[in-house]
């Protein structure tokens, strides 16, 4: 089930920021969004021939989660500068627990002045729990919240400070979606 897809701006840069329970979150967010979405995904998903093809076909580009990955940040900002939709999972990893959000999604939105749309994906952890390779049949719901409209912030330190504040608002908005 999809709700709130009309809240995703039809044109211009936008960051879709979702919780992350399962590997299925990427394809479900891509299918539920009314726009083509490009995703930042951990580089391990791109290592095999099939994984590289599959995640590139979904609009994915790799990110090294060990340290700062300047190339992935540039790729994310390029998506936004082209007026595209960037999908991010601010928890930073899959977890059934609702982890604290990292500020990267808010930081990217602030870098270009893009709306930040909270997204809640429910049911994918039951469909494909961590460690499983074959999805199970179950109900999945993707809910899009009201966009958060941060202003553009060009000063790096101010952007990081503001990103932390916006991230708290974003996490609360995702938690409130059903």
């Amino acid at each position: 089930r999809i709700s709130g897809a009309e809240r995703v701006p039809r044109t211009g840069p936008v960051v879709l920021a979702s919780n992350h329970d399962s590997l299925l979150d990427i394809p479900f967010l891509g299918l539920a969004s009314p726009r083509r979405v490009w995703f930042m995904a951990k580089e391990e998903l791109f290592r095999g021939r099939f994984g590289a093809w599959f995640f590139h076909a979904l609009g994915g580009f790799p990110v090294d989660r060990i340290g700062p990955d300047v190339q992935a940040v540039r790729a994310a900002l390029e998506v936004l500068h082209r007026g595209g939709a960037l999908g991010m999972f601010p928890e930073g990893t899959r977890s059934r627990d609702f982890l604290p959000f990292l500020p990267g999604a808010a930081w990217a939105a602030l870098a270009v002045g893009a709306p930040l749309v909270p997204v809640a994906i429910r049911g994918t952890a039951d469909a494909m729990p961590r460690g499983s390779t074959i999805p199970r049949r179950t109900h999945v719901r993707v809910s899009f919240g009201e966009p958060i409209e941060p202003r553009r912030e060009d000063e790096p330190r101010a952007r990081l400070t503001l990103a932390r504040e916006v991230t708290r608002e974003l996490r609360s908005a995702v938690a409130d979606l059903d």
Side-chain angles (χ1 to χ4, degrees):
R1 295 188 184 145
I2 301 168
S3 65
E6 70 281 356
R7 295 177 176 147
V8 177
R10 298 293 181 213
T11 61
V14 63
V15 178
L16 305 176
S18 177
N19 63 300
H20 197 21
D21 294 346
S22 166
L23 280 177
L24 292 178
D25 296 334
I26 294 171
F28 272 101
L29 180 54
L31 289 169
S33 173
R35 295 179 58 180
R36 172 90 158 95
V37 182
W38 282 262
F39 295 93
M40 186 181 287
K42 66 179 182 176
E43 68 180 350
E44 295 88 343
L45 296 175
F46 296 86
R47 288 200 180 135
R49 187 183 302 199
F50 176 77
W53 169 83
F54 182 73
F55 286 103
H56 279 295
L58 286 175
F61 57 91
V63 61
D64 179 356
R65 297 179 307 155
I66 302 297
D69 186 340
V70 175
Q71 186 174 350
V73 170
R74 284 186 183 136
L77 292 176
E78 179 60 29
V79 167
L80 295 173
H81 286 301
R82 288 192 325 256
L86 176 66
M88 294 185 73
F89 300 96
E91 289 175 279
T93 190
R94 291 170 289 149
S95 175
R96 278 186 173 255
D97 300 322
F98 193 47
L99 299 175
F101 279 14
L102 301 171
W107 184 92
L110 288 161
V112 298
L116 184 61
V117 177
V119 182
I121 303 175
R122 308 282 189 239
T124 54
D126 294 329
M128 191 168 175
R130 190 176 211 138
S132 66
T133 56
I134 299 173
R136 300 178 198 153
R137 187 176 172 108
T138 188
H139 295 281
V140 174
R141 181 176 179 113
V142 181
S143 302
F144 295 89
E146 290 293 334
I148 299 167
E149 304 267 356
R151 62 175 163 44
R152 180 179 173 144
E153 178 54 65
D154 292 323
E155 201 282 307
R157 287 182 193 220
R159 184 183 317 141
L160 184 55
T161 299
L162 189 54
R164 289 181 179 128
E165 293 172 22
V166 172
T167 297
R168 285 190 288 276
E169 181 181 354
L170 172 65
R171 188 176 187 279
S172 177
V174 171
D176 289 344
L177 292 169
D178 50 345

